[in-house]
Amino acid sequence: MLKIYTDSDTDMTPAVAAGYGYQLISMPYSIDAQTTYPYVDFETFDAHAFYDRLRGGVLPTTSAISKDQYLNYFTRDFEEGHEILYVHFSRAMSNTFDAMDQAIAQLKEQFPAARFEEIDTKGITTISYAIVREVGDLVKAGKTLDEILEWAKSEVDKFAMYFFADDLKFFRRSGRVSGLAATMGTLIGVRPLIHMSQEGKMESIGTVKGRPNAIKTLVDKVAQLGDEIEKHRICIGHTDAPDIARELGRMIEERFGKQNIEYVEVNPTAGSHCGPNGVGVCFHAIHR
C-alpha cells in the first residue's frame, strides 16, 4: 500500500491533506522562546491573528525537527512494509532534511522491505501546495508510485512561483532571499519580485515600485511563462492579504478568462520569513 506524506510548510491544512490521505508533518516556529507546531498545538490556523502579531513587531524564528521526530512519523509504515512517498518543501531551504536522512537510513537498515521515496517540490508555501495537490490527484487517479515519480521528473520544474512582500525586514532577517536589499526597499517603497528557482531557493529577480505595479508584474509573469494554465490550478498565496490576493485573481481572469483559482493562506512557519501583506501566484509554466 502507498502511504503519502507532506508537511505544513507546503501550506497544506489537515482538511485538504485528509482528502488525499496525506499524513501531515508539522514544521515549527517560535515566538518569545515558545515553540509551536502547526496543527498539533492548534487545530485551525488563525492567519489574521498570527500576522497581526507580526505587524505589531513580533519576529518569529523557525527551526528544524529532529531525527527522533521523523522516526515517530515514519516508523509504523516502515514496520508494515508500505511504499512511502513524502512530497516536501525545498531541501535547499532547510537542514531539517539532514535529520530526516539519518532517520530514513536507520529505518531502512531495520526494515529493508519498505520503500521510501521523496519528491522535492523545490519550493515552499504556495508552489509546494500546488505540486502536493497535483500529486494527490495522481494518487486518487490510481497512479503507481513509479508513475508519480516519473511525472515529477519533468513537472516539478514546470510550476512557477512569483511573489512580493510589503515589509522586507522579515526577509532581511532570515537571509533566505539572495540579491535582496531589504532596508532600501522598505524605505522607498520598492518591492523586490521574488521567485523560486530551479535549485529550490528564493531569489530576487528585480524590483517594482508600489503595490499596483507589483500586482501587474505578477500577472505579466503568468502571461510570459504560463503553459496550459487552464488545465491546472492557479494558486494565489497570501500572508493575511485577502483583498490584495483577490485583486490579483481578478486581474488574472481579466487577462486570461475564467480560471481555476485557489486562494491559499501562507502557513505560519514560512510566513515568519515573509511577513504580513505578501502575495504571490503559482501557475503551470514552460519553466520556472
Side-chain angles (χ1 to χ4, degrees), residues 211-226:
R211 183 184 293 164
N213 286 332
I215 295 172
K216 180 180 180 300
T217 301
L218 296 186
V219 179
D220 290 342
K221 285 295 180 182
V222 178
Q224 293 165 11
L225 296 175

Side-chain angles (χ1 to χ4, degrees), residues 2 39 52 65 88 114 123 167 176 218 230 286:
L2 176 61
Y39 307 117
D52 251 5
I65 64 175
H88 57 70
D167 190 340
R176 296 205 177 193
L218 296 186
E230 69 283 351
I286 55 176

Side-chain angles (χ1 to χ4, degrees), residues 8-212:
S8 58
D9 270 355
T10 68
D11 286 346
M12 291 294 282
T13 63
V16 178
Y20 292 109
Y22 279 110
Q23 171 77 19
L24 190 60
I25 295 175
S26 182
M27 295 295 171
Y29 63 93
S30 299
I31 296 176
D32 297 332
Q34 179 177 349
T35 299
T36 299
Y37 286 84
Y39 307 117
V40 175
D41 295 326
F42 57 77
E43 293 183 5
T44 303
F45 174 40
D46 187 338
H48 181 65
F50 175 80
Y51 288 111
D52 251 5
R53 294 188 71 184
L54 273 58
R55 291 183 181 101
V58 168
L59 292 173
T61 58
T62 60
S63 56
I65 64 175
S66 68
K67 171 186 171 182
D68 286 343
Q69 288 170 300
Y70 280 111
L71 288 172
N72 287 337
Y73 280 112
F74 294 129
T75 295
R76 175 170 291 184
D77 286 328
F78 269 86
E79 288 175 340
E80 295 177 356
H82 295 304
E83 292 184 325
I84 303 162
L85 174 62
Y86 178 19
V87 190
H88 57 70
F89 77 99
S90 176
R91 273 184 172 267
M93 298 186 69
S94 175
N95 61 9
T96 193
F97 296 105
D98 294 337
M100 185 191 80
D101 290 343
Q102 294 169 21
I104 297 304
Q106 177 178 320
L107 288 168
K108 284 183 174 180
E109 287 186 2
Q110 294 176 272
F111 309 104
R115 180 183 179 186
F116 179 89
E117 301 286 354
E118 60 185 287
I119 293 175
D120 185 344
T121 63
K122 300 183 185 179
I124 196 167
T125 76
T126 310
I127 185 172
S128 298
Y129 177 89
I131 294 169
V132 169
R133 289 209 64 169
E134 293 258 346
V135 171
D137 291 338
L138 294 174
V139 172
K140 291 180 80 169
K143 299 298 183 182
T144 67
L145 177 54
D146 287 327
E147 288 173 327
I148 294 168
L149 293 173
E150 192 64 28
W151 173 91
K153 287 178 183 178
S154 61
E155 286 296 310
V156 164
D157 286 334
K158 290 184 179 179
F159 286 86
M161 177 79 186
Y162 290 82
F163 61 99
F164 66 88
D166 259 15
D167 190 340
L168 305 184
K169 68 184 177 185
F170 298 92
F171 283 127
R172 179 184 61 192
R173 192 174 66 90
S174 73
R176 296 205 177 193
V177 181
S178 61
L180 179 62
T183 303
M184 181 176 294
T186 300
L187 288 176
I188 65 176
V190 172
R191 290 166 173 81
L193 183 67
I194 299 165
H195 89 133
M196 294 303 313
S197 72
Q198 286 189 322
E199 292 72 38
K201 299 179 180 180
M202 290 191 289
E203 295 181 347
S204 176
I205 58 170
T207 58
V208 288
K209 185 69 176 292
R211 183 184 293 164

